[in-house]
Amino acid sequence: MAVDWLASKIHQQIVPWCASVVNAPFKTMTASIFSRNWHRSIKKLFPLLFAISFSAVLLANNTFMPAQAQQPRQEIRGVWMTTNDKDILRDRRKLGDALTKLKRLNFNTVYPVVWNSGYVMYPSPVAQLREIQPFVYRGLEGQDIIGDLIAQAHHRGLLVIPWFEFGFMTPPTSELALNNPEWLTQKQDGTQTSIGAGGEVVWLNPFHPEVQQFITDLVLEITTKYDSDGIQFDDHMSLPAEFGYDKYTVELYTKETKKAPPTDPQNPEWVKWRADKITAFMSRLNQAVKAVKPNAIFSISPNYYDFAYKMHLQDWLNWVRFDIADELIVQVYRPNLESFVDKIDRPEMQETQQKIPTGVGIMTGLRNRPAPMHQIQSQVQAVQERGLGVSFFYYESLWDYAQESTLDRISAFQNFFPFSAFRTALQIPRRAANFPPPPPPVANTKDKPAGNTKETPEANTKDRPDRPANTRRNLPSPTTQRI
């Protein structure tokens, strides 16, 4: 960040000075011939002065930047578009205006929701075949809203990474839950629901091969259907730690460990076993996506690591270490600056930043809880001082639902990104997800834990389940619509 600041300052000061010298009126020069000759000489020197400016920028970068940082800088400047933004998504004109505004404010990435509450936001043969969605979301002109968004965003030079928002989560009244009760997991007391930001929900069993296949089919459908730049999974591509006591999971755990699951949901071995299974699935999902679209950005947006791993079995640090994730945006939705900074200063953030584009999710407000601009400004400043990117939740709350006027909010966002930062999926280094297979069986393991027992921070070793059989079929096109 310091080098970029220095380079920009050199460029800002030298180039405008050169231009001002060339265009100066020379009112103080009384001799017209001398004035013309002087003006002509300066114009001849202008390319040299510009070259000096450009060389200074290059010298600053090469002098102060370590060799490993010479790759193109990937600064995430994103915004999520949620179901609350549906009025904009459905209207081509409003959508075009919104994307133009984002481009002028030097944003570079849009994350539109494609999976929410058990429903997809596009025409889906997978959803129709599973009989989980008796309608199709379309725009006011009958357009495919995701396809339209991608086309309009790409026309403006913006990346589009569809956001698989609800992950394994779905409302209990959804067709997905009602038609597939065997896919749901449960707590020890047999209950299946939890209460969170999405209201009352149930959780698909991430260890069940049919659930894994269904999620894979949806993700591959999105990936192949559209000219998108990747796919993003957030904190719901996980499982609350109190779940996993359904019949299928209990039998699987008992078979593999020769003992029943612990009654304590926070038992370290039980947490690790379930987290490892989710990591193994994400590794296979990454491989499936890269098989059909090698340059797709496999983006993740979880909670901060300690909470994600212990409370939601989401071992995203190993997703980074095992090359499953191409991009990380950690959600830090906290109004308190001290708590906010504590979460972005953690070692796992610094480790990830050395490997993949890394950013922080910042709350810009909700309909019933606006975020003041001074709070947003202080958080963006803290993020940028640490060389991290940023994504805002969510589009309409950037300047609506706010205490400040729309013009004041837009003016503040202009100051966040004074210069453009172009992104392309081709800038992301290609890596193969390499989650390790289970170790060979060891005799006389009565007193030893299953799997590799090498101690590493935060349960770094894994065991990998068998890949579920591919049951994908040729699917019909959806026919029913609901506007």
Side-chain angles (χ1 to χ4, degrees), residues 9 18 114 116 131 142 160 171 187 212 218 265 327-328 435 452:
K9 287 297 180 184
C18 294
V114 292
N116 177 285
E131 298 181 345
V160 181
K187 303 176 186 177
Q212 295 180 356
L218 277 182
E327 166 187 283
L328 170 72
F435 191 70
N452 188 344

Side-chain angles (χ1 to χ4, degrees), residues 349-365:
M349 293 290 287
Q350 299 169 19
E351 177 182 337
T352 301
Q353 191 178 5
Q354 299 303 312
K355 188 169 185 179
I356 60 176
T358 304
V360 177
I362 292 178
M363 173 72 71
T364 48

Side-chain angles (χ1 to χ4, degrees), residues 377-425:
Q377 288 171 323
S378 62
Q379 293 182 352
V380 171
Q381 180 180 351
V383 165
Q384 292 181 334
E385 285 174 350
R386 289 156 177 79
L388 297 164
V390 62
S391 187
F392 298 106
F393 186 87
Y394 54 96
Y395 177 79
E396 277 197 337
S397 68
L398 294 177
W399 23 80
D400 294 337
Y401 325 133
Q403 301 167 349
E404 305 87 0
S405 70
T406 299
L407 289 178
D408 287 343
R409 298 274 286 199
I410 291 176
S411 176
F413 276 98
Q414 285 177 327
N415 293 329
F416 292 157
F417 310 131
F419 304 102
S420 62
F422 179 72
R423 289 192 76 198
T424 170

